[in-house]
Amino acid sequence: MVLYQVHITVRHEVYEKYVTWLKETHIREVLAQPGFLSAELCLKKGGALESSGKEVKMNYRVESED
């Protein structure tokens, strides 16, 4: 099994819309692909408004590197 991690910073003004899209659409679409076993969305609470955005991490478990 392989852990595929995506770690990005999302601008504050689109953060809520982006997270909603991940939860309602994207995660389901990814898990429908062959080899993908599970997905975990990791959101950091809080975060300084002075920064350019908020961190979002996605952990996907995949059968193999193939």
Side-chain angles (χ1 to χ4, degrees), residues 33-46:
Q33 301 304 309
F36 281 83
L37 304 172
S38 66
E40 178 185 23
L41 175 60
C42 306
L43 302 175
K44 183 177 177 182
K45 292 188 177 189

Side-chain angles (χ1 to χ4, degrees), residues 47-62:
L49 288 176
E50 305 86 47
S51 67
S52 61
K54 293 181 78 171
E55 292 181 20
V56 175
K57 292 182 185 177
M58 283 298 309
N59 294 323
Y60 296 102
R61 286 181 176 61
V62 186

Side-chain angles (χ1 to χ4, degrees), residues 7-21:
H7 181 192
I8 63 170
T9 301
V10 180
R11 291 189 334 252
H12 293 287
E13 59 269 18
V14 296
Y15 177 81
E16 292 299 326
K17 187 174 182 177
Y18 181 77
V19 170
T20 298
W21 171 77

